Amino acid sequence: MSTVSAAIDRVAVTSPLSVLRLCCAEARPCVLVIFLLRFLTGAAMSGGRPDLVTAALVWEAAVFFVYLYNGVTDVHEDRFNGSGRPIASGLLSRGAAAWIAVSAAVSALVGGLLLGGPMAAAVPVLILLGLAYSGPPCYLKRRSGGAMVTVTVAGLLTYYMGEAAAVPTPKLLVLALVMSLWMGLVGATTKDLPDAAGDAAAGRQTIAVTRGDRRVRWLASVSAVALGVVFLVAAVVVAPELIWPAVIMLAGAAAVAVLALGDLSQGDRSRRRRPYRAFMITQYGVHLMAIFVSVV
């Protein structure tokens, strides 16, 4: 093992609170927050639910497990790509993160059973989806198709759990379908742009690895603009209250396309992440506006 690798593997933090904080960082706070916003959007667009706080915490525990477990299994490619996340940088041991992840999964499963109803069934599905995505025998993360399906299903489940009604309202159905596809077609592809080298080294067969950088950029751009247009048309025809969220998404889609196809996302890893950042910022804007128009 090289000196660099040895230094990376030397964990510097042992405080329980510090370990928990680093696990939260490893699970990607921006992702945890957007899942919470999806859940709250489902609740806001359906008039709320009496157990909203408890249900949201249980669902977030399941999401936390999924992304922390992903961090545990992604350490090889993360280190190859120079990621600054806690496990890859050596601040957090994989063993400690794995124990916290298992604890979160158990807590979510128990909470789902106590809440009952759809939550009791959906929490195990989300956890199994996370296991299938990151670990054996499926390793869905190794192919773009598997990643697209995983995040799309996870998104749909989240909106439905926020609403927890037998039949989603038309406006929520429109938003949930479009934004889940936004995750699957745009998020899953732009995320691969800065990580192609590490993915190839880890044996992944993503579109960026098998088809090349340029094809990924075109796929993300076309998908983003097409979904933006579809969302706006659907909002006008089916759910006029979603017009402003749809306008935000179309603007974000244009930003993704401009960044993906232009020179602003060429170069180092930080620059190549710009289309993904635009994708993520767009999600935040759409959901915050959807919540706002639902509660005012």
Side-chain angles (χ1 to χ4, degrees):
M1 181 181 292
S2 69
T3 302
V4 173
S5 297
I8 286 176
D9 286 334
R10 188 168 55 247
V11 177
V13 178
T14 56
S15 163
L17 286 178
S18 296
V19 170
L20 185 58
R21 175 179 59 81
L22 290 170
C23 283
C24 290
E26 184 67 39
R28 284 154 278 186
C30 64
V31 174
L32 297 175
V33 172
I34 194 61
F35 266 94
L36 178 60
L37 287 177
R38 291 172 189 137
F39 192 95
L40 295 177
T41 298
M45 296 182 75
S46 60
R49 50 182 297 168
D51 58 353
L52 177 62
V53 175
T54 304
L57 288 173
V58 168
W59 194 251
E60 280 291 287
V63 174
F64 178 77
F65 159 76
V66 169
Y67 281 89
L68 183 55
Y69 177 60
N70 177 252
V72 171
T73 62
D74 272 1
V75 63
H76 174 65
E77 45 266 63
D78 281 349
R79 287 177 178 174
F80 191 95
N81 286 321
S83 171
R85 282 169 30 196
I87 295 177
S89 61
L91 291 175
L92 176 65
S93 76
R94 296 174 73 185
W99 275 109
I100 297 294
V102 170
S103 299
V106 171
S107 299
L109 289 168
V110 172
L113 288 173
L114 292 175
L115 287 170
M119 188 70 75
V123 168
V125 170
L126 182 61
I127 288 174
L128 288 173
L129 199 62
L131 290 170
Y133 177 77
S134 296
C138 299
Y139 289 109
L140 296 176
K141 66 182 181 181
R142 291 180 174 176
R143 289 175 172 78
S144 294
M148 291 176 183
V149 171
T150 301
V151 297
T152 301
V153 173
L156 289 170
L157 277 174
T158 302
Y159 293 112
Y160 181 57
M161 287 301 100
E163 184 185 43
V167 180
T169 61
K171 62 182 180 181
L172 180 57
L173 189 60
V174 168
L175 184 138
L177 286 172
V178 171
M179 294 311 298
S180 295
L181 288 172
W182 175 260
M183 294 165 59
L185 295 176
V186 183
T189 50
T190 54
K191 180 180 69 68
D192 289 341
L193 285 174
D195 296 335
D199 289 344
R204 294 192 185 187
Q205 297 295 308
T206 65
I207 297 175
V209 172
T210 60
R211 301 296 183 180
D213 183 88
R214 182 173 177 80
R215 188 161 297 187
V216 173
R217 292 174 181 275
W218 274 104
L219 175 60
S221 301
V222 171
S223 298
V225 174
L227 285 171
V229 172
V230 168
F231 191 15
L232 185 57
V233 171
V236 171
V237 174
V238 178
E241 58 267 54
L242 292 178
I243 288 177
W244 279 113
V247 168
I248 291 173
M249 182 172 169
L250 188 57
V256 169
V258 169
L259 288 170
L261 297 178
D263 294 333
L264 291 173
S265 62
Q266 302 288 347
D268 61 26
R269 189 172 188 271
S270 178
R271 291 172 63 91
R272 293 170 69 82
R273 280 183 60 84
R274 287 175 176 173
Y276 180 76
R277 292 194 188 102
F279 150 82
M280 185 62 76
I281 291 170
T282 301
Q283 287 197 106
Y284 274 88
V286 169
H287 289 90
L288 288 171
M289 180 58 73
I291 293 172
F292 176 77
V293 300
S294 297
V295 299
V296 297

